[in-house]
């Protein structure tokens, strides 16, 4: 396990390098932010001076070196819009995003696990058809549209929940439902097909023929094994979930990382963009690592 | 005739035996009609395609015609609706139905072109990585890992913010953010196919590498590729709508479903139809493509069918 962990951690390094390089190249290609930072009537001398002081006149490799040097000190440069270092601004928004992501994950798990198991054990029953049909429908619905429709129904028409913003629990309900049901759709499908495969195996038949009650066979014998592929694929979906948060945050004006990032993209505040992209990518990689570890804990047969 | 070309012929008959039977279309049609969802999917996809092609003659109004006298008219069945605007009008008095009809053009065009681009890059990388293995494979797969660590929408946002939104940029962006899944798929397939006898035989008699890749490996990865591509058109349509919704995709006056939805969002409290109908158009189209894709998977890739 220790060896595996070390090897897995070492594999992260080149990936982080490539990401940082790609992000740097994009920003390099984007051209200089000087025009946006100075007032419109700035003289050419002023522009030149600012370019010089920001190091934008240096050749590509020197700029990359300075950038990497900053990166090792977790310095992504200064946001010209906020006039301060980018990373703290990004980190400040992180709790809101994590709150939304965690709440959505809980919604997804609460829906998907019972529904997935149920529809697998009662294949082709009305409930199974409802679950499979629902998960296809949810996959086809754009998440932001679902969010808007939920606002229309529960906020505008019924007045049960606030339309937007972050505050108490009632603010969290609609965004978490929007994102959570979206994740649940995919998860239900996975758990169902994984359970169906397991329920056909010999050891399940043996357990049943020994007279163990169905409840235990399904939940103790089958579900644990069915979880293995579900965990991996769910973790690989972290990236999709994070993408979903970006859009859900915009729909509900949720003051998280997504909203910050989209503002930064619109104002071309590249320091914020770089820091956000890096933090998000790091988070996704971390989740993938976590998935590998859980994978190993769930299935002791797996050797690395 | 050399052993080489005989081998090739043999492998081609193996991979495309279905394609050489005379009743090709009849067989497929029969298989299609067996699946209810597949039939529905095909009918809707054909209908949407036809609507997109003949948008000009089908749309009851000019989709960009601003008419202040007809602002925010509800759909025909609601109170105050008019039969001239079946699905109502938006805040500028433009006909929603006509806008949705024209919007189908962009959705389909962007969806299909982006998938074609992604497929071309992905298949190329996957073939190279899978066939050559070793260092090349390692480098390409680390590249794939890096792309997987950045959420597609995030990557698209950053590129669009730099190069500015336009239809071409959007297609290129969606293309280069989606190639990864094809690369992984094709690489996986190639890894197993290259161990099969016919590839080893071709290698042992000295067939050149690029010929093996093009003639022996490529035809064998086409089936899973078609399945993934179809489903990918569906996700790309959603992604395009999301980006247009965020204001970074298709720009007015070009009409897109995501754009109509984004316009309608501000009027959600008073005029629900502005946001509801374009969303339905996206959902129905994507659902139909998923149905069609699932059917294709059942037909082309019996292994994946459980």
């Amino acid at each position: 396990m220790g060896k595996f962990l070390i090897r897995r951690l070492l594999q992260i390094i080149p990936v982080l390098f490539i990401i940082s390089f790609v992000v740097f190249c994009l920003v390099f290609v984007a051209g200089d932010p000087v025009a946006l930072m100075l007032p419109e009537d700035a003289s050419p001398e002023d522009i030149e001076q600012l370019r010089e002081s920001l190091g934008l006149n240096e050749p590509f490799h020197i700029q990359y070196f300075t950038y990497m040097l900053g990166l090792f000190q977790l310095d992504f440069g200064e946001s010209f819009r906020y006039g301060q270092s980018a990373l703290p601004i990004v980190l400040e928004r992180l709790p809101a995003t994590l709150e939304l992501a965690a709440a959505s994950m809980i919604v997804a798990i609460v829906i998907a696990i019972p529904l997935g198991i149920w529809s697998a054990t009662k294949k082709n029953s009305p409930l199974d058809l409802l679950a499979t049909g629902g998960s296809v429908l949810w996959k086809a619905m754009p998440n932001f549209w679902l969010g808007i429709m939920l606002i229309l129904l529960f906020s505008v028409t019924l007045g049960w929940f606030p339309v937007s913003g972050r505050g108490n629990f009632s603010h969290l309900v609609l965004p978490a439902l929007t994102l959570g049901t979206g994740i649940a759709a995919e998860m239900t499908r996975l758990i169902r097909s994984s359970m169906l495969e397991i329920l056909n195996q010999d050891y399940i038949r043996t357990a049943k023929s020994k007279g163990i009650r169905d409840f235990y066979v399904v939940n103790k014998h089958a579900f644990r094994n069915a979880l293995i592929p579900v965990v991996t694929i769910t973790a690989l979906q972290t990236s999709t979930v994070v993408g979903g948060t970006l859009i859900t945050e915009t729909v509900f004006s949720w003051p998280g990382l997504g909203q910050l990032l989209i503002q930064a993209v619109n104002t071309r505040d590249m320091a914020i963009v770089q820091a956000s992209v890096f933090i998000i990518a790091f988070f996704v990689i971390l989740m993938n690592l976590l998935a590998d570890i859980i994978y190993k804990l769930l299935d002791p047969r797996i050797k690395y | 005739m050399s052993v080489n070309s005989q081998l090739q012929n043999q492998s081609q008959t193996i991979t495309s035996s279905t394609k050489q039977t005379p009743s090709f279309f009849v067989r497929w049609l029969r298989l299609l009609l067996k699946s209810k969802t597949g039939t529905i999917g095909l009918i809707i996809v054909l209908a949407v395609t036809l609507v997109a092609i003949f948008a000009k003659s089908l749309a009851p109004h000019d989709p960009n015609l601003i008419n202040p006298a007809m602002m925010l008219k509800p759909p025909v069945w609601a109170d105050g609706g008019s039969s001239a605007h079946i699905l109502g009008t938006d805040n500028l008095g433009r006909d929603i139905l006509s806008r949705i009809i024209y919007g189908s053009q962009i959705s389909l065009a962007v969806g299909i072109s982006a998938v074609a681009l992604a497929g071309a890059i992905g298949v190329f990388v996957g073939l190279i990585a899978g066939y050559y293995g070793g260092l090349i494979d390692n480098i390409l797969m680390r590249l794939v890992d890096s792309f997987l660590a950045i959420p597609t929408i995030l990557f698209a946002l950053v590129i669009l913010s730099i190069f500015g939104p336009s239809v071409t940029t959007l297609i290129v962006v969606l293309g280069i953010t989606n190639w990864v899944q094809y690369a992984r798929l094709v690489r996986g397939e190639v890894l197993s196919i290259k161990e099969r006898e016919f590839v080893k035989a071709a290698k042992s008699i000295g067939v050149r590498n690029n010929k093996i890749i093009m003639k022996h490996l490529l035809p064998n990865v086409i089936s899973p590729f078609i399945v993934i591509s179809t489903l990918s058109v569906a996700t790309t349509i959603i992604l395009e709508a999301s980006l247009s919704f965020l204001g970074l995709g298709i720009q007015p006056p070009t009409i897109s479903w995501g754009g109509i939805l984004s316009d309608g969002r501000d009027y959600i409290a008073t005029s629900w139809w502005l946001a509801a109908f374009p969303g339905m158009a996206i959902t129905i189209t994507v659902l139909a493509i998923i149905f069609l894709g699932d059917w294709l998977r059942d037909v082309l890739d019996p292994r994946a069918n459980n």
Side-chain angles (χ1 to χ4, degrees):
Chain A
M1 189 75 182
K3 232 184 192 172
F4 155 72
L5 261 182
I6 292 171
R7 218 180 58 204
R8 224 20 213 88
L9 281 170
L10 285 178
Q11 271 178 0
I12 290 180
I13 297 171
V15 175
L16 283 179
F17 254 106
I18 296 177
I19 290 170
S20 64
F21 184 70
V22 170
V23 171
F24 174 77
C25 287
L26 286 174
V27 174
F28 189 83
V29 174
D32 63 80
V34 171
L36 291 166
M37 296 163 79
L38 287 172
E40 272 179 29
D41 53 355
S43 67
E45 288 80 33
D46 286 342
I47 294 176
E48 196 47 41
Q49 205 182 353
L50 186 63
R51 284 187 64 88
E52 193 64 50
S53 70
L54 286 172
L56 291 169
N57 286 339
E58 304 288 345
F60 181 84
H61 62 277
I62 303 281
Q63 280 195 44
Y64 181 64
F65 182 73
T66 332
Y67 161 81
M68 284 310 285
L69 213 62
L71 214 57
F72 279 116
Q73 300 158 12
L74 290 176
D75 176 13
F76 291 90
E78 225 173 62
S79 152
F80 67 83
R81 200 156 151 262
Y82 292 85
Q84 48 172 303
S85 184
L87 192 66
I89 301 174
V90 171
L91 291 180
E92 197 189 330
R93 295 291 194 108
L94 202 56
T97 298
L98 288 181
E99 182 187 319
L100 176 59
S104 312
M105 242 14 218
I106 293 171
V107 169
I109 289 170
V110 167
I111 296 175
I113 291 182
L115 205 59
I117 296 179
W118 213 346
S119 65
T121 46
K122 302 209 170 18
K123 202 183 165 193
N124 292 331
S125 67
L127 184 105
D128 178 32
L129 292 181
L130 200 72
T132 37
S135 63
V136 177
L137 181 65
W138 246 254
K139 202 179 160 194
M141 259 193 298
N143 215 250
F144 59 91
W145 185 61
L146 177 66
I148 294 174
M149 291 298 110
L150 288 178
I151 292 178
L152 178 65
L153 182 63
F154 291 109
S155 307
V156 177
T157 313
L158 297 170
W160 290 358
F161 303 107
V163 173
S164 63
R166 182 185 180 217
N168 51 27
F169 180 73
S170 65
H171 284 89
L172 187 59
V173 176
L174 290 185
L177 274 180
T178 305
L179 191 56
T181 49
I183 308 167
E186 186 68 15
M187 241 190 202
T188 309
R189 208 179 54 81
L190 278 173
I191 294 177
R192 179 180 176 273
S193 67
S194 178
M195 278 296 280
L196 278 177
E197 203 168 298
I198 303 277
L199 286 173
N200 273 330
Q201 308 242 328
D202 288 344
Y203 73 90
I204 297 292
R205 202 182 47 204
T206 311
K208 275 186 182 163
S209 61
K210 277 198 301 187
I212 300 178
R213 271 191 293 153
D214 267 5
F215 181 83
Y216 288 103
V217 175
V218 169
N219 292 299
K220 289 228 154 170
H221 290 70
F223 184 59
R224 183 173 159 155
N225 287 308
L227 262 185
I228 298 170
V230 175
V231 166
T232 352
I233 301 178
T234 308
L236 280 177
Q237 275 199 323
T238 318
S239 155
T240 325
V241 174
V242 173
T245 351
L246 298 188
I247 298 176
T248 312
E249 281 181 12
T250 314
V251 174
F252 290 94
S253 308
W254 188 263
L257 196 52
Q259 218 196 19
L260 177 76
L261 177 69
I262 287 165
Q263 274 168 11
V265 163
N266 279 321
T267 51
R268 301 185 75 177
D269 193 344
M270 283 307 172
I272 298 270
V273 173
Q274 283 179 359
S276 318
V277 172
F278 208 79
I279 293 291
I280 292 174
F282 186 69
F283 182 70
V284 173
I285 293 170
L286 218 61
M287 288 303 287
N288 288 348
L289 175 69
L290 202 66
D292 274 1
I293 296 170
I294 298 175
Y295 196 73
K296 203 175 152 70
L297 291 177
L298 282 173
D299 188 354
R301 288 169 306 177
I302 295 166
K303 288 213 173 72
Y304 292 92
Chain B
M1 191 177 244
S2 69
V3 186
N4 175 11
S5 54
Q6 269 176 12
L7 261 173
Q8 266 174 34
N9 287 340
Q10 201 186 345
S11 81
Q12 269 167 6
T13 20
I14 291 168
T15 56
S16 56
S17 55
T18 45
K19 288 173 196 162
Q20 286 172 358
T21 44
S23 56
F24 167 65
F25 279 111
V26 182
R27 278 175 52 128
W28 272 53
L29 205 64
R30 236 179 248 154
L31 275 172
L32 180 64
L33 292 176
K34 249 192 213 163
S35 151
K36 255 184 225 153
T37 49
T39 316
I40 297 172
L42 183 75
I43 292 172
I44 298 177
V45 169
L46 281 179
V48 175
T49 315
L50 289 176
V51 164
I53 295 172
F54 298 107
K56 219 172 178 175
S57 14
L58 283 172
H61 298 271
D62 174 354
N64 282 322
L65 181 74
I66 294 172
N67 184 357
M70 295 299 266
M71 267 164 40
L72 295 171
K73 286 274 172 217
V76 65
W77 58 87
D79 284 343
S82 117
S83 57
H85 301 282
I86 296 173
L87 297 184
T89 58
D90 69 1
N91 54 316
L92 297 173
R94 295 175 295 193
D95 184 47
I96 298 282
L97 178 63
S98 308
R99 290 180 71 72
I100 289 177
I101 288 176
Y102 271 88
S104 63
Q105 294 180 329
I106 281 293
S107 284
L108 288 187
V110 171
I112 293 168
S113 332
V115 167
L117 180 66
I121 304 175
V123 169
F124 178 75
V125 171
L127 283 172
I128 300 288
Y131 183 70
Y132 290 103
L135 186 66
I136 300 177
D137 183 31
N138 227 325
I139 292 173
L140 288 174
M141 284 305 114
R142 287 292 86 78
L143 196 67
V144 165
D145 284 349
S146 321
F147 266 85
L148 280 179
I150 306 180
T152 315
I153 188 131
L154 181 63
F155 195 75
L157 274 177
V158 175
I159 300 183
L160 283 168
S161 70
I162 292 168
F163 296 104
S166 77
V167 178
T168 326
T169 327
L170 194 63
I171 291 171
V172 173
V173 164
L174 294 177
I176 55 176
T177 44
N178 271 326
W179 64 274
V180 177
Q181 51 170 330
Y182 299 99
R184 283 169 71 101
L185 170 92
V186 170
R187 174 180 174 268
E189 291 283 321
V190 168
L191 282 180
S192 76
I193 296 168
K194 77 170 181 184
E195 299 302 328
R196 302 243 297 265
E197 269 76 24
F198 68 93
V199 176
K200 284 190 169 163
K203 243 184 192 172
S204 66
I205 55 169
V207 180
R208 271 178 297 132
N209 282 336
N210 51 5
K211 212 169 173 187
I212 293 183
I213 291 176
M214 293 309 288
K215 294 256 168 176
H216 294 294
L217 299 180
L218 189 60
N220 279 298
V221 299
I222 290 291
S223 293
F225 171 74
I226 291 175
V227 173
I228 300 279
S229 313
T230 315
L231 294 173
S232 186
V233 171
T235 40
T236 308
I237 287 178
I238 291 189
L239 201 56
E240 179 269 314
S242 311
L243 287 169
S244 300
F245 174 75
L246 293 174
L248 284 154
I250 306 296
Q251 302 294 308
T254 309
I255 302 160
S256 71
W257 289 339
I260 312 175
L261 237 168
S262 171
D263 293 342
R265 188 182 150 209
D266 299 335
Y267 297 89
I268 190 75
T270 51
S271 317
W272 56 269
W273 57 92
L274 262 65
F277 294 129
M280 279 180 206
I282 300 173
T283 309
I284 292 170
T285 309
V286 170
L287 205 57
I289 298 174
I290 293 176
F291 283 160
L292 194 64
D294 280 347
W295 170 75
L296 277 173
R297 184 179 52 210
D298 293 348
V299 175
L300 291 174
D301 197 2
R303 276 171 305 167
N305 181 18
N306 60 48

